[in-house]
Amino acid sequence: MARIIPPRVTSHPSWKALKEHHREMASTHLRELFSGDPGRAARMRAEGAGILLDYSKNRITDRTLDLLLELAESCRLSDHIRNMFGGQHINKTENRAVLHVALRLPRSARLVVDGVDVVREVHEVLDRMESFSRKIRDGSWKGATGRPIKNIVNIGIGGSDLGPVMAYEALRFYADRSRVFRFVSNIDGTDFAEATRDLDPEETLFIVSSKTFTTLETMTNAHTARRWLLESLKKEESIRHHFVAVSTNSQAVSSFGIDTANMFGFWDWVGGRYSMDSAIGLSTMIAIGPENFRKMLEGFHAMDEHFRTAPFAKNLPVLMGLLTVWYTNFFGSQTVAVLPYDQYLKRFPAYLQQLTMESNGKHVHLDGSPVDTDTGPIFWGEPGTNGQHSFYQLIHQGTRLIPIDFIGFARSHNPIGEHHDILMANLLAQGEALAFGKTADEVRAAGVPELQVPHRTFEGNRPSNTLLARELTPAVLGSLVALYEHSVFTSGIIWGIDSFDQWGVELGKVMAVRIIDEIAGKSPEGGPHDSGTAQLLDWYRKNRKK
Ligand SMILES: O=P(O)(O)OC[C@H]1O[C@H](O)[C@H](O)[C@@H](O)[C@@H]1O
């Protein structure tokens, strides 16, 4: 039977209408949109799960929104949301359910997937994490020599690192300050050496975090950690006091020598980049405590519920996902800048890079046919105000259109003098300056010499979203992460791609393993490389020994 190929998004009438409509919008300035419409800002805002989204400074009208919402309907976004929440195997290429939303369902919920009540399993693991975290935090878990654990080192990479690092930094205010938390991810030995150089093995716990427990970097670092520990503690027996694992692969965990009683599991339906609220968050739970971790889960769940139930016109992730499509596919924007005005969120843009780019960096539709539109944009960013003194120049006056997400909070955890008001004034000023700019006439009127006028003119019309919340609490962090997870989902549905696989990371891994063998002399020199790679490899071989 012939496969039914769903219609391309570009063939939907709303897509065509958006193309038409974009012609008009391309020459419309945000100045006009605001000046002719005093109710614009009040209309173009939405709230959910403790987060306010002001999207009025986007290059859109009510008509744009209507068309984008129509597009969402014609791509059957509601059905897709229902399928994800219902545990359907929406990750087609791996034939898996995608159920990070189940990680934060309350204990009272029930969700049967492939014959198993996943909520019960999720809470069993959470309870085990909780009891382990309490033992570390109250000092009753002892190292091999009877000393309590003071240092916690998470070894993991990708989703098994970026989430834990980001959450640790974001929630540092809530963290147990009497303990040291370190994160080792890179295969570069420097990462391990610098993370452990001042640690006492007798007081150190390693959490080896890896969904597959086969990842080269993590396994290499874990073996190095094992040797580092045994150099001082000597006895194999000490391993179980100083190593725990977070994984879906119990066999590999036990062959590494970690007692599976000290393993915290999760499931194949949790993608690496969607796993910071699974057992991969063990370091987070130890740092901020089980109560705060559960509050973070509640924040995630509140945004899940908002996404699942709010009408699309008031639905934060839907609106943000559709705006990403609007800029990517109609304005041709290549990137999105995420600019948190909060020092605690300094790793948030890096975290989002994996979430967004590994999810939506795809070149074929679900059915394998090539996409006929651009897909996921490049996400990047730095905290404000630092970025203002570095790359904002290009956003204000460069030739590229870079949509921005500003993120800010009403209250600071560290209210020192006027700092927070100054910080927030900068966030507001940037959004305003980017949107409205400064015309040549205004520049002249300020007495600027004619020669400088073009240089000091700001075209404006640079779009931004502003996300605000009261305070960066564990719950708000959960909501914020879930907001981006679901906005990535929304864009992915419009593009008709699989946002939940990541085959693109495989080729480089396979080739690296081959070259590792060549360098070690295990396979013949001069393998079938291109002449450029062969030359570089040759240079490395000749120069690698000091
Ligand atoms: O948790 P692990 O199995 O060690 O995987 C760690 C990471 O590596 C892979 O290459 C994938 O690109 C990531 O999605 C994943 O998060």
Side-chain angles (χ1 to χ4, degrees):
M1 206 169 75
R3 270 197 308 174
I4 301 167
I5 300 184
R8 299 279 160 269
V9 65
T10 48
S11 65
H12 288 305
S14 46
W15 186 277
K16 291 179 182 152
L18 277 162
K19 252 197 140 45
E20 230 1 77
H21 172 67
H22 169 257
R23 272 190 215 122
E24 183 193 324
M25 290 309 295
S27 57
T28 306
H29 201 288
L30 279 164
R31 282 184 210 127
E32 300 157 46
L33 295 175
F34 272 87
S35 67
D37 180 6
R40 179 179 172 90
R43 240 178 21 257
M44 293 191 178
R45 57 177 273 169
E47 265 183 276
I51 296 178
L52 166 69
L53 164 68
D54 176 331
Y55 58 97
S56 61
K57 292 193 184 75
N58 280 290
R59 293 176 64 176
I60 55 170
T61 61
D62 294 339
R63 164 109 180 115
T64 324
L65 277 176
D66 287 346
L67 289 174
L68 287 169
L69 293 169
E70 225 176 281
L71 181 67
E73 291 301 339
S74 53
C75 294
R76 298 179 26 250
L77 179 60
S78 319
D79 294 345
H80 288 284
I81 294 174
R82 207 172 310 118
N83 291 345
M84 173 170 72
F85 279 84
Q88 306 267 325
H89 287 208
I90 62 167
N91 176 356
K92 294 280 179 213
T93 69
E94 294 176 307
N95 190 21
R96 286 177 185 167
V98 174
L99 267 179
H100 42 279
V101 293
L103 297 170
R104 47 260 193 166
L105 279 171
R107 206 182 282 277
S108 55
R110 201 176 126 80
L111 177 63
V112 178
V113 175
D114 303 331
V116 178
D117 179 8
V118 296
V119 182
R120 196 177 49 77
E121 293 197 348
V122 163
H123 282 271
E124 269 169 21
V125 174
L126 278 172
D127 292 344
R128 287 187 53 233
M129 286 166 67
E130 172 162 352
S131 109
F132 178 72
S133 301
R134 287 198 194 286
K135 285 187 202 147
I136 298 289
R137 285 167 66 89
D138 68 17
S140 58
W141 180 283
K142 303 278 194 268
T145 57
R147 305 244 293 266
I149 298 296
K150 196 172 157 251
N151 316 307
I152 290 92
V153 182
N154 186 74
I155 297 180
I157 198 163
S160 301
D161 167 69
L162 288 161
V165 175
M166 183 279 287
Y168 173 66
E169 292 296 343
L171 300 175
R172 213 171 181 157
F173 179 75
Y174 298 85
D176 175 353
R177 305 294 181 139
S178 66
R179 294 199 155 69
V180 173
F181 290 85
R182 300 269 164 82
F183 300 86
V184 176
S185 53
N186 203 337
I187 190 72
D188 184 341
T190 299
D191 205 8
F192 182 84
E194 289 295 338
T196 52
R197 62 183 303 133
D198 56 346
L199 303 186
D200 181 344
E202 291 184 47
E203 299 179 332
T204 300
L205 174 82
F206 289 99
I207 304 177
V208 185
S209 298
S210 174
K211 180 175 168 180
T212 55
F213 228 74
T214 57
T215 306
L216 177 68
E217 290 87 341
T218 302
M219 290 303 107
T220 308
N221 279 320
H223 282 286
T224 300
R226 207 172 187 280
R227 279 195 301 276
W228 178 84
L229 191 93
L230 289 177
E231 253 165 46
S232 350
L233 300 185
K234 312 292 182 213
K235 297 189 199 121
E236 278 283 324
E237 206 277 326
S238 52
I239 296 292
R240 69 188 174 88
H241 301 274
H242 295 269
F243 276 80
V244 297
V246 178
S247 186
T248 55
N249 185 349
S250 49
Q251 222 175 346
V253 168
S254 95
S255 39
F256 179 86
I258 298 178
D259 187 346
T260 45
N262 299 331
M263 167 179 159
F264 301 87
F266 58 116
W267 306 270
D268 73 353
W269 41 259
V270 183
R273 54 195 177 274
Y274 297 87
S275 67
M276 61 167 275
D277 48 338
S278 70
I280 290 291
L282 184 61
S283 61
T284 316
M285 191 190 268
I286 298 172
I288 65 173
E291 290 81 9
N292 280 322
F293 193 85
R294 288 190 194 267
K295 283 186 192 150
M296 182 179 85
L297 297 182
E298 283 167 21
F300 269 102
H301 180 62
M303 186 56 79
D304 295 342
E305 284 302 281
H306 170 82
F307 180 53
R308 198 174 63 79
T309 61
F312 286 171
K314 287 282 162 204
N315 192 312
L316 273 70
V318 171
L319 290 166
M320 284 178 61
L322 292 174
L323 285 166
T324 300
V325 170
W326 175 234
Y327 291 115
T328 304
N329 300 122
F330 298 93
F331 282 87
S333 290
Q334 301 279 331
T335 81
V336 175
V338 179
L339 309 173
Y341 277 63
D342 190 299
Q343 189 60 20
Y344 284 128
L345 285 180
K346 66 180 182 191
R347 296 289 288 164
F348 193 61
Y351 170 78
L352 283 187
Q353 287 186 323
Q354 187 198 12
L355 176 64
T356 61
M357 289 155 77
E358 206 169 64
S359 297
N360 283 345
K362 304 291 159 66
H363 70 140
V364 292
H365 294 118
L366 275 166
D367 63 17
S369 60
V371 293
D372 50 0
T373 61
D374 268 327
T375 57
I378 298 155
F379 273 71
W380 61 285
E382 282 288 323
T385 58
N386 294 15
Q388 290 176 204
H389 301 272
S390 116
F391 53 78
Y392 278 39
Q393 164 67 36
L394 185 146
I395 308 181
H396 279 284
Q397 288 190 317
T399 54
R400 294 164 199 281
L401 185 74
I402 302 176
I404 291 170
D405 292 347
F406 288 110
I407 303 173
F409 300 92
R411 299 175 191 174
S412 169
H413 286 307
N414 301 292
I416 306 170
E418 302 301 305
H419 282 246
H420 194 65
D421 289 344
I422 299 172
L423 176 73
M424 288 303 287
N426 271 277
L427 180 158
L428 298 173
Q430 289 297 332
E432 197 169 9
L434 285 162
F436 301 104
K438 196 169 183 185
T439 63
D441 286 346
E442 286 167 338
V443 175
R444 267 185 210 105
V448 168
E450 198 52 38
L451 188 73
Q452 285 185 0
V453 168
H455 300 275
R456 296 178 66 172
T457 298
F458 291 75
E459 184 193 12
N461 220 10
R462 269 62 172 168
S464 61
N465 288 318
T466 305
L467 293 164
L468 298 175
R470 268 169 68 133
E471 202 169 29
L472 182 53
T473 59
V476 165
L477 182 71
S479 301
L480 194 60
V481 172
L483 166 58
Y484 278 94
E485 287 176 348
H486 299 321
S487 110
V488 163
F489 176 88
T490 300
S491 310
I493 293 300
I494 304 296
W495 290 319
I497 56 179
D498 189 330
S499 299
F500 300 103
D501 61 12
Q502 58 285 316
W503 301 105
V505 301
E506 296 301 324
L507 179 60
K509 285 186 193 173
V510 173
M511 291 175 72
V513 169
R514 215 176 76 201
I515 297 178
I516 291 166
D517 282 352
E518 284 178 53
I519 292 172
K522 286 191 204 152
S523 62
E525 261 180 71
H529 294 292
D530 65 276
S531 60
T533 308
Q535 172 175 277
L536 296 170
L537 182 56
D538 185 49
W539 180 92
Y540 178 65
R541 280 167 169 284
K542 287 189 180 128
N543 289 280
R544 65 193 269 263
K545 290 262 153 58
K546 273 197 184 147

